[in-house]
PDB file of all heavy atoms in Angstrom:
ATOM      1  N   LEU A 697      -6.675  -1.771   4.337  1.00 98.00           N
ATOM      2  CA  LEU A 697      -7.854  -1.729   5.217  1.00 98.00           C
ATOM      3  C   LEU A 697      -8.605  -0.398   5.101  1.00 98.00           C
ATOM      4  O   LEU A 697      -9.208   0.054   6.090  1.00 98.00           O
ATOM      5  CB  LEU A 697      -7.432  -2.013   6.672  1.00 98.00           C
ATOM      6  CG  LEU A 697      -6.817  -3.378   6.942  1.00 98.00           C
ATOM      7  CD1 LEU A 697      -6.473  -3.531   8.403  1.00 98.00           C
ATOM      8  CD2 LEU A 697      -7.782  -4.497   6.515  1.00 98.00           C
ATOM      9  N   GLU A 698      -8.594   0.211   3.937  1.00 98.00           N
ATOM     10  CA  GLU A 698      -9.414   1.428   3.749  1.00 98.00           C
ATOM     11  C   GLU A 698     -10.773   1.165   3.154  1.00 98.00           C
ATOM     12  O   GLU A 698     -11.459   2.079   2.767  1.00 98.00           O
ATOM     13  CB  GLU A 698      -8.636   2.433   2.895  1.00 98.00           C
ATOM     14  CG  GLU A 698      -7.658   3.295   3.661  1.00 98.00           C
ATOM     15  CD  GLU A 698      -7.016   4.391   2.856  1.00 98.00           C
ATOM     16  OE1 GLU A 698      -6.997   4.319   1.612  1.00 98.00           O
ATOM     17  OE2 GLU A 698      -6.514   5.329   3.470  1.00 98.00           O
ATOM     18  N   ILE A 699     -11.117  -0.104   2.999  1.00 98.00           N
ATOM     19  CA  ILE A 699     -12.463  -0.496   2.539  1.00 98.00           C
ATOM     20  C   ILE A 699     -13.079  -1.399   3.602  1.00 98.00           C
ATOM     21  O   ILE A 699     -12.345  -1.871   4.492  1.00 98.00           O
ATOM     22  CB  ILE A 699     -12.385  -1.250   1.168  1.00 98.00           C
ATOM     23  CG1 ILE A 699     -11.499  -2.493   1.246  1.00 98.00           C
ATOM     24  CG2 ILE A 699     -11.903  -0.287   0.061  1.00 98.00           C
ATOM     25  CD1 ILE A 699     -11.534  -3.354  -0.016  1.00 98.00           C
ATOM     26  N   PRO A 700     -14.389  -1.639   3.582  1.00 98.00           N
ATOM     27  CA  PRO A 700     -14.998  -2.424   4.646  1.00 98.00           C
ATOM     28  C   PRO A 700     -14.353  -3.825   4.771  1.00 98.00           C
ATOM     29  O   PRO A 700     -13.965  -4.463   3.776  1.00 98.00           O
ATOM     30  CB  PRO A 700     -16.455  -2.551   4.179  1.00 98.00           C
ATOM     31  CG  PRO A 700     -16.686  -1.318   3.366  1.00 98.00           C
ATOM     32  CD  PRO A 700     -15.373  -1.093   2.629  1.00 98.00           C
ATOM     33  N   MET A 701     -14.297  -4.295   6.022  1.00 98.00           N
ATOM     34  CA  MET A 701     -13.657  -5.584   6.280  1.00 98.00           C
ATOM     35  C   MET A 701     -14.339  -6.749   5.545  1.00 98.00           C
ATOM     36  O   MET A 701     -13.657  -7.675   5.131  1.00 98.00           O
ATOM     37  CB  MET A 701     -13.635  -5.835   7.801  1.00 98.00           C
ATOM     38  CG  MET A 701     -12.793  -6.994   8.227  1.00 98.00           C
ATOM     39  SD  MET A 701     -11.027  -6.847   7.733  1.00 98.00           S
ATOM     40  CE  MET A 701     -10.422  -5.760   9.018  1.00 98.00           C
ATOM     41  N   GLU A 702     -15.625  -6.633   5.349  1.00 98.00           N
ATOM     42  CA  GLU A 702     -16.328  -7.758   4.625  1.00 98.00           C
ATOM     43  C   GLU A 702     -15.794  -7.853   3.195  1.00 98.00           C
ATOM     44  O   GLU A 702     -15.728  -8.943   2.626  1.00 98.00           O
ATOM     45  CB  GLU A 702     -17.830  -7.574   4.648  1.00 98.00           C
ATOM     46  CG  GLU A 702     -18.373  -6.413   3.856  1.00 98.00           C
ATOM     47  CD  GLU A 702     -19.893  -6.516   3.616  1.00 98.00           C
ATOM     48  OE1 GLU A 702     -20.640  -6.087   4.488  1.00 98.00           O
ATOM     49  OE2 GLU A 702     -20.322  -7.000   2.540  1.00 98.00           O
ATOM     50  N   ALA A 703     -15.437  -6.721   2.600  1.00 98.00           N
ATOM     51  CA  ALA A 703     -14.882  -6.734   1.221  1.00 98.00           C
ATOM     52  C   ALA A 703     -13.491  -7.316   1.243  1.00 98.00           C
ATOM     53  O   ALA A 703     -13.114  -8.111   0.368  1.00 98.00           O
ATOM     54  CB  ALA A 703     -14.915  -5.323   0.647  1.00 98.00           C
ATOM     55  N   VAL A 704     -12.688  -6.901   2.227  1.00 98.00           N
ATOM     56  CA  VAL A 704     -11.326  -7.446   2.376  1.00 98.00           C
ATOM     57  C   VAL A 704     -11.384  -8.953   2.555  1.00 98.00           C
ATOM     58  O   VAL A 704     -10.697  -9.724   1.875  1.00 98.00           O
ATOM     59  CB  VAL A 704     -10.593  -6.779   3.567  1.00 98.00           C
ATOM     60  CG1 VAL A 704      -9.262  -7.449   3.812  1.00 98.00           C
ATOM     61  CG2 VAL A 704     -10.436  -5.277   3.346  1.00 98.00           C
ATOM     62  N   ALA A 705     -12.262  -9.377   3.456  1.00 98.00           N
ATOM     63  CA  ALA A 705     -12.376 -10.800   3.771  1.00 98.00           C
ATOM     64  C   ALA A 705     -12.811 -11.606   2.541  1.00 98.00           C
ATOM     65  O   ALA A 705     -12.272 -12.716   2.302  1.00 98.00           O
ATOM     66  CB  ALA A 705     -13.394 -11.023   4.887  1.00 98.00           C
ATOM     67  N   ALA A 706     -13.713 -11.086   1.739  1.00 98.00           N
ATOM     68  CA  ALA A 706     -14.163 -11.814   0.544  1.00 98.00           C
ATOM     69  C   ALA A 706     -13.020 -11.957  -0.443  1.00 98.00           C
ATOM     70  O   ALA A 706     -12.833 -13.022  -1.036  1.00 98.00           O
ATOM     71  CB  ALA A 706     -15.360 -11.083  -0.065  1.00 98.00           C
ATOM     72  N   ALA A 707     -12.258 -10.879  -0.646  1.00 98.00           N
ATOM     73  CA  ALA A 707     -11.140 -10.934  -1.597  1.00 98.00           C
ATOM     74  C   ALA A 707     -10.095 -11.920  -1.130  1.00 98.00           C
ATOM     75  O   ALA A 707      -9.574 -12.741  -1.915  1.00 98.00           O
ATOM     76  CB  ALA A 707     -10.538  -9.525  -1.746  1.00 98.00           C
ATOM     77  N   VAL A 708      -9.769 -11.861   0.127  1.00 98.00           N
ATOM     78  CA  VAL A 708      -8.729 -12.779   0.686  1.00 98.00           C
ATOM     79  C   VAL A 708      -9.200 -14.252   0.533  1.00 98.00           C
ATOM     80  O   VAL A 708      -8.424 -15.117   0.133  1.00 98.00           O
ATOM     81  CB  VAL A 708      -8.478 -12.426   2.192  1.00 98.00           C
ATOM     82  CG1 VAL A 708      -7.681 -13.521   2.864  1.00 98.00           C
ATOM     83  CG2 VAL A 708      -7.784 -11.073   2.309  1.00 98.00           C
ATOM     84  N   ASP A 709     -10.459 -14.468   0.781  1.00 98.00           N
ATOM     85  CA  ASP A 709     -10.991 -15.826   0.692  1.00 98.00           C
ATOM     86  C   ASP A 709     -10.911 -16.369  -0.755  1.00 98.00           C
ATOM     87  O   ASP A 709     -10.513 -17.517  -0.993  1.00 98.00           O
ATOM     88  CB  ASP A 709     -12.429 -15.840   1.192  1.00 98.00           C
ATOM     89  CG  ASP A 709     -12.964 -17.241   1.298  1.00 98.00           C
ATOM     90  OD1 ASP A 709     -12.341 -18.035   2.023  1.00 98.00           O
ATOM     91  OD2 ASP A 709     -13.943 -17.564   0.577  1.00 98.00           O
ATOM     92  N   ILE A 710     -11.245 -15.539  -1.733  1.00 98.00           N
ATOM     93  CA  ILE A 710     -11.185 -15.958  -3.112  1.00 98.00           C
ATOM     94  C   ILE A 710      -9.759 -16.351  -3.478  1.00 98.00           C
ATOM     95  O   ILE A 710      -9.506 -17.402  -4.072  1.00 98.00           O
ATOM     96  CB  ILE A 710     -11.734 -14.844  -4.065  1.00 98.00           C
ATOM     97  CG1 ILE A 710     -13.224 -14.651  -3.845  1.00 98.00           C
ATOM     98  CG2 ILE A 710     -11.404 -15.162  -5.532  1.00 98.00           C
ATOM     99  CD1 ILE A 710     -13.765 -13.340  -4.456  1.00 98.00           C
ATOM    100  N   ALA A 711      -8.817 -15.495  -3.128  1.00 98.00           N
ATOM    101  CA  ALA A 711      -7.401 -15.752  -3.451  1.00 98.00           C
ATOM    102  C   ALA A 711      -6.947 -17.025  -2.737  1.00 98.00           C
ATOM    103  O   ALA A 711      -6.301 -17.889  -3.336  1.00 98.00           O
ATOM    104  CB  ALA A 711      -6.550 -14.558  -3.056  1.00 98.00           C
ATOM    105  N   TYR A 712      -7.254 -17.116  -1.467  1.00 98.00           N
ATOM    106  CA  TYR A 712      -6.796 -18.245  -0.639  1.00 98.00           C
ATOM    107  C   TYR A 712      -7.278 -19.597  -1.233  1.00 98.00           C
ATOM    108  O   TYR A 712      -6.498 -20.552  -1.335  1.00 98.00           O
ATOM    109  CB  TYR A 712      -7.325 -18.054   0.796  1.00 98.00           C
ATOM    110  CG  TYR A 712      -6.957 -19.165   1.723  1.00 98.00           C
ATOM    111  CD1 TYR A 712      -5.667 -19.266   2.243  1.00 98.00           C
ATOM    112  CD2 TYR A 712      -7.894 -20.110   2.100  1.00 98.00           C
ATOM    113  CE1 TYR A 712      -5.299 -20.289   3.098  1.00 98.00           C
ATOM    114  CE2 TYR A 712      -7.561 -21.157   2.984  1.00 98.00           C
ATOM    115  CZ  TYR A 712      -6.265 -21.229   3.463  1.00 98.00           C
ATOM    116  OH  TYR A 712      -5.928 -22.230   4.341  1.00 98.00           O
ATOM    117  N   ARG A 713      -8.543 -19.611  -1.629  1.00 98.00           N
ATOM    118  CA  ARG A 713      -9.114 -20.855  -2.160  1.00 98.00           C
ATOM    119  C   ARG A 713      -8.414 -21.261  -3.455  1.00 98.00           C
ATOM    120  O   ARG A 713      -8.450 -22.427  -3.832  1.00 98.00           O
ATOM    121  CB  ARG A 713     -10.610 -20.740  -2.335  1.00 98.00           C
ATOM    122  CG  ARG A 713     -11.346 -20.915  -0.981  1.00 98.00           C
ATOM    123  CD  ARG A 713     -12.849 -21.048  -1.144  1.00 98.00           C
ATOM    124  NE  ARG A 713     -13.512 -19.776  -1.279  1.00 98.00           N
ATOM    125  CZ  ARG A 713     -14.105 -19.353  -2.348  1.00 98.00           C
ATOM    126  NH1 ARG A 713     -14.135 -20.092  -3.427  1.00 98.00           N
ATOM    127  NH2 ARG A 713     -14.681 -18.149  -2.389  1.00 98.00           N
ATOM    128  N   GLN A 714      -7.784 -20.326  -4.122  1.00 97.00           N
ATOM    129  CA  GLN A 714      -7.104 -20.660  -5.387  1.00 97.00           C
ATOM    130  C   GLN A 714      -5.602 -20.715  -5.233  1.00 97.00           C
ATOM    131  O   GLN A 714      -4.866 -20.798  -6.227  1.00 97.00           O
ATOM    132  CB  GLN A 714      -7.415 -19.580  -6.411  1.00 97.00           C
ATOM    133  CG  GLN A 714      -8.856 -19.234  -6.423  1.00 97.00           C
ATOM    134  CD  GLN A 714      -9.405 -19.063  -7.795  1.00 97.00           C
ATOM    135  OE1 GLN A 714      -8.778 -19.474  -8.751  1.00 97.00           O
ATOM    136  NE2 GLN A 714     -10.526 -18.428  -7.902  1.00 97.00           N
ATOM    137  N   GLY A 715      -5.116 -20.633  -3.999  1.00 97.00           N
ATOM    138  CA  GLY A 715      -3.675 -20.748  -3.747  1.00 97.00           C
ATOM    139  C   GLY A 715      -2.893 -19.496  -4.208  1.00 97.00           C
ATOM    140  O   GLY A 715      -1.699 -19.560  -4.423  1.00 97.00           O
ATOM    141  N   ILE A 716      -3.593 -18.369  -4.359  1.00 98.00           N
ATOM    142  CA  ILE A 716      -2.923 -17.117  -4.760  1.00 98.00           C
ATOM    143  C   ILE A 716      -2.408 -16.421  -3.493  1.00 98.00           C
ATOM    144  O   ILE A 716      -3.220 -16.157  -2.579  1.00 98.00           O
ATOM    145  CB  ILE A 716      -3.901 -16.189  -5.524  1.00 98.00           C
ATOM    146  CG1 ILE A 716      -4.383 -16.866  -6.795  1.00 98.00           C
ATOM    147  CG2 ILE A 716      -3.247 -14.825  -5.837  1.00 98.00           C
ATOM    148  CD1 ILE A 716      -5.554 -16.169  -7.483  1.00 98.00           C
TER     149      ILE A 716
END
Side-chain angles (χ1 to χ4, degrees):
L697 299 180
E698 276 186 339
I699 58 172
M701 190 58 80
E702 68 164 84
V704 173
V708 168
D709 187 59
I710 292 166
Y712 178 76
R713 281 191 277 112
Q714 313 221 19
I716 298 168

